[in-house]
């Protein structure tokens, strides 16, 4: 039995169950019999017509997958639109990639063997696939939704996540919309992760067209909407099921002389694309599946079409499928709430007529044709929807069963048989009430341009509310007075407009419908402006022509659509004034109510379409803007705004990074956070980003975490604390500076921090820090002030404060301090005090040591400052009467130009280095071999600590290397260390400074190395 027969008899489901396909392809489980054609690759590709839409979205997905990007694909559509079939298509392709180990040519060859020609890229790594189906799964394992970070960690790229029938999860899983928002954000932030989310906008016989909350949640990030074209290609899809290779020749001689030659040629051409279905029958079935009629039919787009077409195809007894082969109208048409009375009457009239013509294929086909046309005309009112005699002849034509003469005779005899069809102005219908568009056109004359713009303003506000998520506020200059709802505010005066746009701490989307202009420019202000001269959409033109309007520009179309909405509301509110025939005494009350219901339903439908077209036209109208400091023009509002909010957080982090690492700021002092914010807002070199001040602070905190910045608050430098890094509550008045700038420590900032933390007689302050290898180091701020080469390791350190029972205080020239600056050769007075009796005082400075015997609790002495610029430490040791002691350091800074060693993270060709240090044993070995082979003499130090259980090993080797043998001895030590631990500190001190050449610079790349260079600069 063919697939199409199985489909018609219900033995094969017209709906694809993605979970069954997933389990079959990726878990090896046997599917249910009704889903077998979708799980078998040969059968699946045999019945799958790869539409242009399939190719477009598959190509977009595979190209991003191959390049390591990430994306969210959203598929909101009515039940049966082809969503699951597309997802099954994606699963089959991914399975082929798995079989081909990612080779694109292999996949293409496999597809060609299955009858499909596609060009696909190769994948470096085949992604993992996870499928969640709202009607099968009850949880979201293995995804970890404890937090966004744990969720991101559970997404192991590359991975493809597929959610089908997602709306069902909302009733199963608590807070499911919030979880989907978290998942969408995690996918956006993690490369190599892809999310397909499919929603059926209704899942039962009665429609529910409200969007699921989880759909709105996913749409809060950047996403791609997958709009499928399966329904438009339904004939090609059906031919796959039926095993038809294409159209066959159909005898049309019987139509010659009955219909015009032009109409016959048109019919013949259309038949090639619709075979084996009569083109008029196919038109009607496609209209049954139109989304605009979804509430009134039982057809579920693709799957419903296939079921109806399969049933009609199996029922046919001739060459072509005609209206007589369709299921009974009551099986495909729902008499909806608004139209229930009228449509039920029409269905009853049809059933009465069908009984009267029982046995006549031609009569039954014509009646069904007229019935469906009348049904469509009730929902989409237009005179041409009712068929003419010529169209009825062509619509029922099947050379094997229905001849043109059969139709003509039936129509001529219809009145005699008492049938309920009527001919009005050359067209046939089951029921007629017209003139609605004419009445709306009359009502539109009551309203001017400002009335139309007021409706347009409301529609723009509605559109803006949907796009307002990334912005602090949305300001619209529009008609209708001042009003606000949530983030969106409408203003009607220039003063209000300019006032709202002044708040620079907000990310503002401003939409200028009144041409008030751009009073100020900054990088977080987006002003969307009108493009009045654009062409209106074709659908809008067609609708407005039906009510007598012919706009030439998109602005005129927007105004006219607004007036149309006003006109519909006017007619709806005063129905009797516009349709006085409803008051005719001879009309029955039930018929009067049915007619009134029908008219109101048509008005609601007209208004709904007018508002939909208004939104489309507004999107084209608002295509220009001032984005930060640049004038831009896009294809529409969504593209204009969408590009700005994509990767917003990453781009803002990039701005903050540029501020701290680029050349815009001379980091010679702390800069106020408010000044950095102003720099971003007003510098044209930065990109426009809809960011608020709070979001800027968040990006700044992100950059500065891990002690990457020092802060100044109320004159105090904040950086390290007893628990690690210290970051104050940030506001515009807090100063900030980077710890590293241009790969060098920001020394003035670190020095300012160290000078705050001198010890006293009662306490001792230490900074604990760790070098890349080896144990923690511990030094006082006074010591570190003279050891600038150590500052590079302080990032991530912490303070330790010890209270002392017996201590000394040290003052220089009467001031207790951690450091002093003095000119060369100056004499300073040092005073040592304690609350305990002293026995002796010893001091050391620049290699000079002196000892004084002391009696009492205080002693003063003079010290001569060194004559060369530099940083020195005055070490003072006091011995108490009980032979205990205390020590204090004071940094002495002698300003002036001097050569000093500094530590840098990178060097360039031409620089001279006096030493370098590797942070791993492996990098040390690489450098040792390199300098050995170059014949460079040096002193090397190898140190490490290693412990295992109770065993502990400490290595500290210092060796002068003048020959390859010396180097080889050290290499043996490094090899032995690497057998136990990768951690080791290997220091090289060159006998003579080494000039970096291109070979040396190339060798240093990729190694964890810090360099010592000698530079003359201010000490």
């Amino acid at each position: 039995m063919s697939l199409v027969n199985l489909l018609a008899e219900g033995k094969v489901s017209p709906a694809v169950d993605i979970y069954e396909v997933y389990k079959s392809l990726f878990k090896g489980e046997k599917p249910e019999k009704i889903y077998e054609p979708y799980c078998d690759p040969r059968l699946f590709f045999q019945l799958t017509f790869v539409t242009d839409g399939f190719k477009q979205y598959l190509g977009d997905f595979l190209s991003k997958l191959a390049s390591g990007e990430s994306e969210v694909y959203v598929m909101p559509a009515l039940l049966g639109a082809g969503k699951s079939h597309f997802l099954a298509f994606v699963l089959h392709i991914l399975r082929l990639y798995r079989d081909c180990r990612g080779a694109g040519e292999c996949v293409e060859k496999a597809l060609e063997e299955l009858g499909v020609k596609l060009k696909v890229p190769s994948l470096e790594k085949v992604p993992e696939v996870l499928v969640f189906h709202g009607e099968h799964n009850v949880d979201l394992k293995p995804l970890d939704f404890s937090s966004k970070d744990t969720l991101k960690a559970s997404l192991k790229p590359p991975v493809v996540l597929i959610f089908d029938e997602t709306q069902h999860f909302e009733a199963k899983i608590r807070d499911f919309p919030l979880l989907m928002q978290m998942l969408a954000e995690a996918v956006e932030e993690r490369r190599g992760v892809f999310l397909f989310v499919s929603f059926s906008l209704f899942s039962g016989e009665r429609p529910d067209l409200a969007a699921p909350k989880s759909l709105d949640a996913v749409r809060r990030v950047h996403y791609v909407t997958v709009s499928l074209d399966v329904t438009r290609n339904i004939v090609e899809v059906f031919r796959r099921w039926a095993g038809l290779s294409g159209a066959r020749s159909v005898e049309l001689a019987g139509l010659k002389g009955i219909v015009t030659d032009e109409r016959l040629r048109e019919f013949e051409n259309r038949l090639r694309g619709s075979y084996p279905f009569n083109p008029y029958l196919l038109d009607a079935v496609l209209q049954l599946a139109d989304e605009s009629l979804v509430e009134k039919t039982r057809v579920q787009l693709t799957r419903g079409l296939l079921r109806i077409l399969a049933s009609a195809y199996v029922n046919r007894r001739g060459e072509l499928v005609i209206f007589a082969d369709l299921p009974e109208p009551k099986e495909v048409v729902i008499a909806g709430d608004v139209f229930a009375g009228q449509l039920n009457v029409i269905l009853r009239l049809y059933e009465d007529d069908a009984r009267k013509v029982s046995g006549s294929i031609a009569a039954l086909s014509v009646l069904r044709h007229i019935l469906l046309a009348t049904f469509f005309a009730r929902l989409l009112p237009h005179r041409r929807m009712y068929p003419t005699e010529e169209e009825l002849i062509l619509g029922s034509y099947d050379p094997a069963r229905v001849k043109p003469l059969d139709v003509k005779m039936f129509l001529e005899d219809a009145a005699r048989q008492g049938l309920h069809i009527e001919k009005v102005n050359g067209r046939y219908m089951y029921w007629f009430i017209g003139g609605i568009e004419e009445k709306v056109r009359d009502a539109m004359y009551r309203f001017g341009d400002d009335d139309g713009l007021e409706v347009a303003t409301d529609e723009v506000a509605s559109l803006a509310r949907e796009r307002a998520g990334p912005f602090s506020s949305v300001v619209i200059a529009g008609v209708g007075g001042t009003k606000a709802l949530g983030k969106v505010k409408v203003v009607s005066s220039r003063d209000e407009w300019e006032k709202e746009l002044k708040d620079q701490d907000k990310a503002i989307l401003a939409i200028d419908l009144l041409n008030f202009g751009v009073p100020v420019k900054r990088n977080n202000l987006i002003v969307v402006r009108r493009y009045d001269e654009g062409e209106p959409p074709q659908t809008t033109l067609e609708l407005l022509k039906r009510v007598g309007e012919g706009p030439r520009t998109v602005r005129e179309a927007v105004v006219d659509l607004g007036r149309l909405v006003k006109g519909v509301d006017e007619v709806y509110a005063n129905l009797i004034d516009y349709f006085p025939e409803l008051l005719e005494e001879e009309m029955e009350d039930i018929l009067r109510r049915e007619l009134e219901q029908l008219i109101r339903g048509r008005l609601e439908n007209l208004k709904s379409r007018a508002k939909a077209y208004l939104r489309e036209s507004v999107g084209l109208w608002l295509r220009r803007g001032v984005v930060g400091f640049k004038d831009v023009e896009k294809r529409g509002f969504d593209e204009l705004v969408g590009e700005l909010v994509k990767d917003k957080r990453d781009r803002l982090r990039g701005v903050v990074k540029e501020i701290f690492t680029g050349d815009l700021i001379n980091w010679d002092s702390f800069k106020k956070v408010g000044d950095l914010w102003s720099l971003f807002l007003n510098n044209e070199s930065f990109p426009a980003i809809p960011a608020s001040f709070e979001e800027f602070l968040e990006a700044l905190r992100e950059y500065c975490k891990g002690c990457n910045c020092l802060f100044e608050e109320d004159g105090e430098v904040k950086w390290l604390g007893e628990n690690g890094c210290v970051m104050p509550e940030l506001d515009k008045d807090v100063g900030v500076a980077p710890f590293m700038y241009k790969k060098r420590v920001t020394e003035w900032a670190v020095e300012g921090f160290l000078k705050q933390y001198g010890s006293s007689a009662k306490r001792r302050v230490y900074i604990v820090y760790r070098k890349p290898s080896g144990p923690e180091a511990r030094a006082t701020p006074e010591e570190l002030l003279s050891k600038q080469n150590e500052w590079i390791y302080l990032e991530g350190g912490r303070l330790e404060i010890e209270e002392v029972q017996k201590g000394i205080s040290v003052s220089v020239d009467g001031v207790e301090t951690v450091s002093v600056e003095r000119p060369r050769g100056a004499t300073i007075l040092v005073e040592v005090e304690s609350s305990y009796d002293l026995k002796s005082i010893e001091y050391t400075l620049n290699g000079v040591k002196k000892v004084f015997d002391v009696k009492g609790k205080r002693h003063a002495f003079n010290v001569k400052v060194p004559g060369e610029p530099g940083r020195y430490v005055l070490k003072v040791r006091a011995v108490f009467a009980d032979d205990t002691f205390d020590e204090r350091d004071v940094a002495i800074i002698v300003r002036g130009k001097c050569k000093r060693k500094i530590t840098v993270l990178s060097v360039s060709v031409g620089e001279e280095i006096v030493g370098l240090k590797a942070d791993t044993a492996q990098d040390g070995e690489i450098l040792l071999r390199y300098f050995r082979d170059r014949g460079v003499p040096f002193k090397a130090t190898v140190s490490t600590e290693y412990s295992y259980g109770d065993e502990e090993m400490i290595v500290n080797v210092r060796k002068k290397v003048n020959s390859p043998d010396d180097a080889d001895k050290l290499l043996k030590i490094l090899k032995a260390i690497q057998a136990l631990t990768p951690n080791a500190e290997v220091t090289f001190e060159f006998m003579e400074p080494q000039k970096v050449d291109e070979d040396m610079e190339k060798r240093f790349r990729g190694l964890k190395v810090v360099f010592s260079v000698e530079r003359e600069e201010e000490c």
Side-chain angles (χ1 to χ4, degrees), residues 472 504-507 524 673-674 677 691-698 730-732:
S472 307
Q504 64 178 15
D505 288 347
K506 291 182 178 179
N524 71 340
V673 171
W677 170 240
S692 66
F693 178 62
E694 286 303 319
E695 290 172 312
F696 180 79
L697 288 184
E698 181 183 347
L730 297 183
D731 58 38
K732 291 184 178 180

Short mmCIF file of all heavy atoms in Angstrom, two decimals, residues 472 504-507 524 673-674 677 691-698 730-732:
data_model
loop_
_atom_site.label_atom_id
_atom_site.label_comp_id
_atom_site.label_asym_id
_atom_site.label_seq_id
_atom_site.Cartn_x
_atom_site.Cartn_y
_atom_site.Cartn_z
N SER A 472 16.27 51.67 28.67
CA SER A 472 15.74 52.17 29.94
C SER A 472 14.37 52.78 29.73
O SER A 472 13.49 52.64 30.58
CB SER A 472 16.69 53.21 30.54
OG SER A 472 17.99 52.73 30.65
N GLN A 504 20.97 61.55 30.43
CA GLN A 504 22.02 60.78 29.79
C GLN A 504 22.34 59.47 30.52
O GLN A 504 23.07 58.63 29.98
CB GLN A 504 23.30 61.61 29.68
CG GLN A 504 23.91 62.00 31.00
CD GLN A 504 25.20 62.80 30.80
OE1 GLN A 504 25.48 63.28 29.71
NE2 GLN A 504 25.98 62.91 31.85
N ASP A 505 21.82 59.28 31.72
CA ASP A 505 22.08 58.04 32.44
C ASP A 505 21.15 56.91 32.00
O ASP A 505 21.27 55.77 32.47
CB ASP A 505 21.94 58.25 33.96
CG ASP A 505 23.09 59.07 34.52
OD1 ASP A 505 24.09 59.24 33.80
OD2 ASP A 505 22.99 59.54 35.66
N LYS A 506 20.22 57.20 31.11
CA LYS A 506 19.30 56.19 30.60
C LYS A 506 19.65 55.85 29.15
O LYS A 506 20.09 56.70 28.39
CB LYS A 506 17.86 56.68 30.65
CG LYS A 506 17.27 56.83 32.03
CD LYS A 506 15.82 57.27 31.95
CE LYS A 506 15.18 57.37 33.32
NZ LYS A 506 13.76 57.83 33.22
N ALA A 507 19.44 54.59 28.81
CA ALA A 507 19.53 54.18 27.40
C ALA A 507 18.16 54.43 26.78
O ALA A 507 17.19 53.76 27.12
CB ALA A 507 19.90 52.70 27.30
N ASN A 524 24.40 56.52 23.85
CA ASN A 524 23.32 55.66 24.35
C ASN A 524 21.95 56.22 24.00
O ASN A 524 20.95 55.86 24.62
CB ASN A 524 23.45 55.45 25.86
CG ASN A 524 23.14 56.70 26.67
OD1 ASN A 524 23.18 57.82 26.14
ND2 ASN A 524 22.84 56.53 27.94
N VAL A 673 34.61 57.88 37.82
CA VAL A 673 33.76 56.98 37.04
C VAL A 673 32.81 57.78 36.16
O VAL A 673 32.55 57.43 35.00
CB VAL A 673 32.98 56.03 37.97
CG1 VAL A 673 31.93 55.25 37.19
CG2 VAL A 673 33.94 55.08 38.67
N GLY A 674 32.32 58.90 36.70
CA GLY A 674 31.43 59.75 35.91
C GLY A 674 32.10 60.31 34.68
O GLY A 674 31.47 60.48 33.63
N TRP A 677 32.21 57.55 32.10
CA TRP A 677 30.87 57.41 31.52
C TRP A 677 30.64 58.51 30.48
O TRP A 677 30.16 58.26 29.37
CB TRP A 677 29.84 57.49 32.64
CG TRP A 677 28.40 57.60 32.24
CD1 TRP A 677 27.53 58.59 32.54
CD2 TRP A 677 27.63 56.65 31.47
NE1 TRP A 677 26.29 58.34 32.03
CE2 TRP A 677 26.31 57.15 31.37
CE3 TRP A 677 27.93 55.44 30.87
CZ2 TRP A 677 25.31 56.49 30.70
CZ3 TRP A 677 26.92 54.77 30.18
CH2 TRP A 677 25.63 55.29 30.10
N ALA A 691 22.98 51.56 26.39
CA ALA A 691 23.37 51.16 27.74
C ALA A 691 23.08 52.28 28.72
O ALA A 691 23.33 53.45 28.45
CB ALA A 691 24.86 50.80 27.78
N SER A 692 22.57 51.91 29.88
CA SER A 692 22.37 52.87 30.97
C SER A 692 23.64 52.98 31.80
O SER A 692 24.57 52.18 31.66
CB SER A 692 21.21 52.42 31.86
OG SER A 692 21.56 51.21 32.53
N PHE A 693 23.66 53.98 32.69
CA PHE A 693 24.82 54.13 33.56
C PHE A 693 25.00 52.90 34.44
O PHE A 693 26.13 52.46 34.69
CB PHE A 693 24.66 55.39 34.42
CG PHE A 693 25.79 55.61 35.40
CD1 PHE A 693 27.08 55.82 34.94
CD2 PHE A 693 25.55 55.59 36.76
CE1 PHE A 693 28.12 56.03 35.83
CE2 PHE A 693 26.59 55.78 37.66
CZ PHE A 693 27.88 56.00 37.20
N GLU A 694 23.90 52.31 34.91
CA GLU A 694 24.00 51.11 35.75
C GLU A 694 24.61 49.96 34.96
O GLU A 694 25.41 49.18 35.49
CB GLU A 694 22.62 50.72 36.29
CG GLU A 694 22.10 51.62 37.39
CD GLU A 694 23.05 51.69 38.58
OE1 GLU A 694 23.60 50.63 38.97
OE2 GLU A 694 23.26 52.80 39.10
N GLU A 695 24.27 49.83 33.69
CA GLU A 695 24.86 48.77 32.86
C GLU A 695 26.33 49.05 32.61
O GLU A 695 27.15 48.12 32.55
CB GLU A 695 24.09 48.67 31.54
CG GLU A 695 22.69 48.10 31.69
CD GLU A 695 21.89 48.18 30.42
OE1 GLU A 695 21.86 49.25 29.79
OE2 GLU A 695 21.26 47.17 30.04
N PHE A 696 26.69 50.32 32.47
CA PHE A 696 28.11 50.69 32.33
C PHE A 696 28.87 50.30 33.59
O PHE A 696 29.98 49.76 33.52
CB PHE A 696 28.21 52.20 32.07
CG PHE A 696 29.62 52.70 31.92
CD1 PHE A 696 30.31 52.54 30.73
CD2 PHE A 696 30.27 53.33 32.97
CE1 PHE A 696 31.60 53.00 30.59
CE2 PHE A 696 31.56 53.81 32.84
CZ PHE A 696 32.23 53.64 31.64
N LEU A 697 28.27 50.58 34.77
CA LEU A 697 28.91 50.18 36.03
C LEU A 697 29.09 48.67 36.10
O LEU A 697 30.12 48.18 36.57
CB LEU A 697 28.07 50.66 37.22
CG LEU A 697 28.07 52.16 37.52
CD1 LEU A 697 27.27 52.45 38.78
CD2 LEU A 697 29.49 52.70 37.68
N GLU A 698 28.09 47.93 35.64
CA GLU A 698 28.19 46.47 35.65
C GLU A 698 29.36 46.00 34.80
O GLU A 698 30.13 45.12 35.19
CB GLU A 698 26.89 45.86 35.15
CG GLU A 698 26.89 44.34 35.13
CD GLU A 698 25.62 43.76 34.55
OE1 GLU A 698 24.64 44.51 34.37
OE2 GLU A 698 25.61 42.55 34.26
N LEU A 730 30.24 51.66 43.70
CA LEU A 730 30.63 52.59 42.64
C LEU A 730 29.55 53.64 42.37
O LEU A 730 28.36 53.33 42.34
CB LEU A 730 30.92 51.82 41.34
CG LEU A 730 32.09 50.84 41.39
CD1 LEU A 730 32.31 50.21 40.02
CD2 LEU A 730 33.37 51.52 41.85
N ASP A 731 30.00 54.86 42.22
CA ASP A 731 29.15 55.94 41.73
C ASP A 731 30.03 56.87 40.91
O ASP A 731 31.22 56.62 40.71
CB ASP A 731 28.44 56.68 42.87
CG ASP A 731 29.42 57.26 43.90
OD1 ASP A 731 30.50 57.76 43.48
OD2 ASP A 731 29.13 57.22 45.10
N LYS A 732 29.47 57.97 40.45
CA LYS A 732 30.20 58.83 39.54
C LYS A 732 31.41 59.51 40.19
O LYS A 732 32.33 59.94 39.48
CB LYS A 732 29.27 59.88 38.95
CG LYS A 732 28.25 59.31 37.98
CD LYS A 732 27.42 60.40 37.33
CE LYS A 732 26.42 59.79 36.34
NZ LYS A 732 25.60 60.83 35.68
#
